[in-house]
Amino acid sequence: MKRAKLLLKASRTMIGDSNSIALGLFTAIVWVFAAFAIGFITYCMTLYKTDPKLGQHLAIGMIEFSPMVIGYGMARSFYTGFIEVRKNSGKSSFMNFAMQLPVTKEDVIKAQFLDLLRCALPGFLVLCYTLVFTVIYKADKIILMYSGALVLFFNILFLLICLDKGIFTYIFISSKVREIIYISFALLSIFVISNNAQQKIQNFVALGAANSNLKILSVFSSFLVFLGGEAGFISLLLTVLIGWYLSCHLPAKIFRLKEGRK
Amino acid sequence: MDTILQISHLTKAFNGFKIDDISFSLEKGCIMGFVGENGAGKTTTIKMLLNAVEKTSGEIQIFGLDHTAHEVEIKERIGYVPSDDYFTANSTLDRHVKALKIFYKEWDDTLFKALCTSWKLPLSQKIYEYSKGMKTKAMLAIALAHKPDLLILDEPTAGLDPVARIEVLDILRDFVANGERAVFFSTHITTDLDKIADYITLIHEGRIKESLPIDEIEEKYALVDGGIEDLKGKEEEFLGLRKGQVKFEGLILREKAQKCFKENQIRVPNIENLLVYTIWGEKDEKSQAIIKSL
């Protein structure tokens, strides 16, 4: 793990000045968003006691804002990966850089996972805080659905990046698969972050909840309600563990098998 | 002499390409030139040495240690210069060095700065403003600054001007002078090998065609030329042959040359002759087969 941390430090050090300023600003904005979201949800919690209707109304608005923290935070991880692959026609310049260093491939994938955890942290905190809010204040169905949708969005993004940074980097030689993943990721981020999409999700969820004839929608909305409560914590934990397995443990196991080591 | 690099029966299968059972070794105090056409398998072999590409089978020992089991301690003693640079274009050399030196116990800042001054490499200039030659020099300075025992270079002189090339070759010669270190470098520029290489390993279509000390080229092979009438019934003896309307030139084993041709027709081949004719020989057979099939 020490070498993985060194790699993470090295990757930050070697990033160019203008990239460094841009990424620094990017990170700062994400953290400001995160702090704002946490502060606002705290305010909603206090309101919830005195005026549940207003509290709920504000909470919906706040939860709509939360994908920005999750999406933008993790987009940094996506952005650097995408730029590297596009500029180096499938090769990661960081991998070229790391090839010469006294580190193993396992160290490199651990470093990438640590980087992803760092990028996901603001979103993760906001999500946990939202889930605490829904659990403690027994939020109504629509808030549970929103927070469930957030958890699902986070889980999908996290696993996609883990697949990309882990298995796809080492198993597939072609960069085509990675590019498809990146494009899906970008589209998903844009879809979730955009306000109209939020409205669509709200309509969709409301439709699912209201119309029991559309069984799939009904099941899906129930699933979101389920994820928006206590189960959200477990799913987040499972996602991080599965992500670690897909992007660290499994590739490392494959390397060891390929190299004839136990 | 002690062996610093030992490759035995190394195989790597890709889609449509194979590094096929290659074996050779490099001793301390020596420089080995690794030559072959584009796509012959040079870079893949180098990446396998660094364990960046997994081998399918075979064994690689560096400093007497298995290259996967002791990857970290081996890489600490290796300096590597790739053919494509690993720099982030929008960054500076200074930042890259800061990122790199934390991995090496033996990093020598004084040596690095001396090399940068000597090669006129501005530390705080953006990498995208560097020429290809400057990037190669920068990578070489980094590779040398952590005091490696083995330098692995992938076409290091390709983008350099003649003066810089001579400088680099001198540095490589000095690097191995104490007899404890070695250089393994791939190149297309065979004149560089004539100047400094002690050994040459020729790879073609993933197979080692030849791996021998430079001195043995003269002992083993001969370059023969003459009129086309001298060639009658002897074509089969050549490893590679170029025929014109009236003259021919080809590479042949020295003992066969001495039996079949006059002394004044026999010359000493250089590395380029060996490279061109061993591969040319195969290509000639292939092209003839294609012509016959038409």
Side-chain angles (χ1 to χ4, degrees), chain B residues 19-42:
Chain B
I19 295 284
D20 195 3
D21 193 23
I22 66 173
S23 301
F24 60 88
S25 62
L26 172 62
E27 285 159 0
K28 281 183 180 175
C30 294
I31 297 176
M32 176 179 277
F34 193 46
V35 284
E37 293 173 298
N38 289 326
K42 300 189 295 294

Short mmCIF file of all heavy atoms in Angstrom, two decimals, chain B residues 19-42:
data_model
loop_
_atom_site.label_atom_id
_atom_site.label_comp_id
_atom_site.label_asym_id
_atom_site.label_seq_id
_atom_site.Cartn_x
_atom_site.Cartn_y
_atom_site.Cartn_z
N ILE B 19 5.99 -13.85 -30.15
CA ILE B 19 7.41 -13.86 -29.78
C ILE B 19 7.69 -15.34 -29.54
O ILE B 19 7.10 -15.95 -28.64
CB ILE B 19 7.66 -13.04 -28.50
CG1 ILE B 19 7.36 -11.56 -28.71
CG2 ILE B 19 9.09 -13.24 -27.99
CD1 ILE B 19 8.37 -10.78 -29.49
N ASP B 20 8.54 -15.90 -30.35
CA ASP B 20 8.61 -17.35 -30.43
C ASP B 20 9.93 -17.92 -29.86
O ASP B 20 10.96 -17.89 -30.53
CB ASP B 20 8.42 -17.76 -31.90
CG ASP B 20 8.11 -19.24 -32.03
OD1 ASP B 20 7.98 -19.91 -31.00
OD2 ASP B 20 8.00 -19.71 -33.17
N ASP B 21 9.87 -18.37 -28.64
CA ASP B 21 10.96 -19.13 -28.02
C ASP B 21 12.31 -18.40 -28.16
O ASP B 21 13.26 -18.94 -28.72
CB ASP B 21 11.03 -20.52 -28.69
CG ASP B 21 11.92 -21.46 -27.90
OD1 ASP B 21 12.14 -21.24 -26.70
OD2 ASP B 21 12.45 -22.42 -28.51
N ILE B 22 12.38 -17.19 -27.65
CA ILE B 22 13.64 -16.46 -27.80
C ILE B 22 14.53 -16.64 -26.55
O ILE B 22 14.04 -16.68 -25.43
CB ILE B 22 13.43 -14.96 -28.14
CG1 ILE B 22 12.77 -14.19 -27.00
CG2 ILE B 22 12.62 -14.78 -29.40
CD1 ILE B 22 12.72 -12.68 -27.24
N SER B 23 15.80 -16.77 -26.81
CA SER B 23 16.79 -16.95 -25.73
C SER B 23 18.05 -16.16 -26.06
O SER B 23 18.52 -16.20 -27.21
CB SER B 23 17.17 -18.42 -25.57
OG SER B 23 16.07 -19.20 -25.29
N PHE B 24 18.55 -15.43 -25.12
CA PHE B 24 19.86 -14.79 -25.25
C PHE B 24 20.28 -14.28 -23.88
O PHE B 24 19.48 -14.29 -22.93
CB PHE B 24 19.87 -13.65 -26.29
CG PHE B 24 18.92 -12.52 -26.01
CD1 PHE B 24 19.30 -11.45 -25.23
CD2 PHE B 24 17.64 -12.53 -26.55
CE1 PHE B 24 18.43 -10.41 -24.97
CE2 PHE B 24 16.76 -11.48 -26.30
CZ PHE B 24 17.16 -10.42 -25.51
N SER B 25 21.54 -13.88 -23.77
CA SER B 25 21.99 -13.36 -22.48
C SER B 25 22.92 -12.17 -22.68
O SER B 25 23.50 -11.99 -23.75
CB SER B 25 22.71 -14.46 -21.69
OG SER B 25 23.84 -14.88 -22.40
N LEU B 26 23.00 -11.34 -21.64
CA LEU B 26 23.85 -10.15 -21.68
C LEU B 26 24.75 -10.16 -20.45
O LEU B 26 24.25 -10.36 -19.33
CB LEU B 26 22.95 -8.90 -21.69
CG LEU B 26 23.63 -7.54 -21.54
CD1 LEU B 26 24.60 -7.27 -22.69
CD2 LEU B 26 22.58 -6.43 -21.49
N GLU B 27 26.03 -9.98 -20.69
CA GLU B 27 26.97 -10.02 -19.57
C GLU B 27 27.30 -8.63 -19.05
O GLU B 27 27.13 -7.64 -19.75
CB GLU B 27 28.24 -10.75 -20.02
CG GLU B 27 28.01 -12.24 -20.10
CD GLU B 27 29.01 -12.93 -20.99
OE1 GLU B 27 29.89 -12.26 -21.55
OE2 GLU B 27 28.91 -14.16 -21.12
N LYS B 28 27.80 -8.60 -17.82
CA LYS B 28 28.21 -7.32 -17.21
C LYS B 28 29.30 -6.67 -18.05
O LYS B 28 30.16 -7.36 -18.60
CB LYS B 28 28.74 -7.56 -15.81
CG LYS B 28 27.66 -7.76 -14.77
CD LYS B 28 28.27 -7.92 -13.40
CE LYS B 28 27.19 -8.12 -12.35
NZ LYS B 28 27.75 -8.39 -11.02
N GLY B 29 29.28 -5.36 -18.11
CA GLY B 29 30.32 -4.62 -18.83
C GLY B 29 30.10 -4.57 -20.32
O GLY B 29 30.97 -4.11 -21.07
N CYS B 30 28.94 -5.06 -20.78
CA CYS B 30 28.71 -5.14 -22.23
C CYS B 30 27.51 -4.29 -22.67
O CYS B 30 26.62 -4.00 -21.89
CB CYS B 30 28.44 -6.57 -22.64
SG CYS B 30 29.86 -7.63 -22.40
N ILE B 31 27.54 -3.95 -23.94
CA ILE B 31 26.41 -3.26 -24.56
C ILE B 31 25.84 -4.19 -25.63
O ILE B 31 26.60 -4.66 -26.49
CB ILE B 31 26.85 -1.93 -25.20
CG1 ILE B 31 27.38 -0.97 -24.12
CG2 ILE B 31 25.70 -1.29 -25.97
CD1 ILE B 31 27.92 0.34 -24.66
N MET B 32 24.56 -4.46 -25.53
CA MET B 32 23.94 -5.32 -26.54
C MET B 32 22.97 -4.51 -27.39
O MET B 32 22.10 -3.82 -26.87
CB MET B 32 23.20 -6.49 -25.89
CG MET B 32 22.46 -7.36 -26.91
SD MET B 32 21.60 -8.75 -26.17
CE MET B 32 22.94 -9.92 -26.03
N GLY B 33 23.14 -4.59 -28.68
CA GLY B 33 22.22 -3.96 -29.61
C GLY B 33 21.14 -4.96 -30.00
O GLY B 33 21.44 -6.10 -30.34
N PHE B 34 19.90 -4.52 -29.92
CA PHE B 34 18.77 -5.40 -30.22
C PHE B 34 18.14 -4.85 -31.49
O PHE B 34 17.50 -3.79 -31.46
CB PHE B 34 17.81 -5.35 -29.03
CG PHE B 34 16.75 -6.40 -29.02
CD1 PHE B 34 17.04 -7.73 -29.29
CD2 PHE B 34 15.44 -6.07 -28.71
CE1 PHE B 34 16.05 -8.70 -29.25
CE2 PHE B 34 14.45 -7.03 -28.66
CZ PHE B 34 14.76 -8.35 -28.93
N VAL B 35 18.37 -5.50 -32.60
CA VAL B 35 17.94 -4.93 -33.88
C VAL B 35 16.92 -5.80 -34.59
O VAL B 35 16.87 -7.02 -34.42
CB VAL B 35 19.14 -4.67 -34.83
CG1 VAL B 35 19.92 -3.46 -34.40
CG2 VAL B 35 20.03 -5.87 -34.94
N GLY B 36 16.13 -5.15 -35.39
CA GLY B 36 15.11 -5.84 -36.17
C GLY B 36 14.21 -4.81 -36.83
O GLY B 36 14.28 -3.62 -36.52
N GLU B 37 13.38 -5.30 -37.73
CA GLU B 37 12.47 -4.38 -38.44
C GLU B 37 11.40 -3.85 -37.49
O GLU B 37 11.25 -4.36 -36.38
CB GLU B 37 11.70 -5.17 -39.51
CG GLU B 37 12.53 -5.67 -40.64
CD GLU B 37 11.68 -6.57 -41.52
OE1 GLU B 37 11.19 -7.60 -41.05
OE2 GLU B 37 11.52 -6.21 -42.69
N ASN B 38 10.61 -2.89 -37.98
CA ASN B 38 9.43 -2.46 -37.22
C ASN B 38 8.49 -3.64 -37.09
O ASN B 38 8.26 -4.37 -38.06
CB ASN B 38 8.68 -1.34 -37.96
CG ASN B 38 9.45 -0.04 -37.96
OD1 ASN B 38 10.14 0.26 -37.00
ND2 ASN B 38 9.34 0.70 -39.04
N GLY B 39 7.98 -3.85 -35.90
CA GLY B 39 7.04 -4.95 -35.69
C GLY B 39 7.70 -6.31 -35.53
O GLY B 39 7.02 -7.34 -35.53
N ALA B 40 9.02 -6.32 -35.39
CA ALA B 40 9.72 -7.60 -35.25
C ALA B 40 9.55 -8.18 -33.85
O ALA B 40 9.71 -9.39 -33.64
CB ALA B 40 11.20 -7.42 -35.56
N GLY B 41 9.23 -7.33 -32.87
CA GLY B 41 9.03 -7.81 -31.49
C GLY B 41 10.00 -7.20 -30.50
O GLY B 41 10.09 -7.66 -29.37
N LYS B 42 10.70 -6.13 -30.90
CA LYS B 42 11.70 -5.53 -30.00
C LYS B 42 11.04 -4.89 -28.77
O LYS B 42 11.41 -5.20 -27.64
CB LYS B 42 12.51 -4.44 -30.75
CG LYS B 42 13.27 -4.91 -31.96
CD LYS B 42 14.19 -3.85 -32.50
CE LYS B 42 13.49 -2.63 -33.05
NZ LYS B 42 12.69 -2.87 -34.26
#
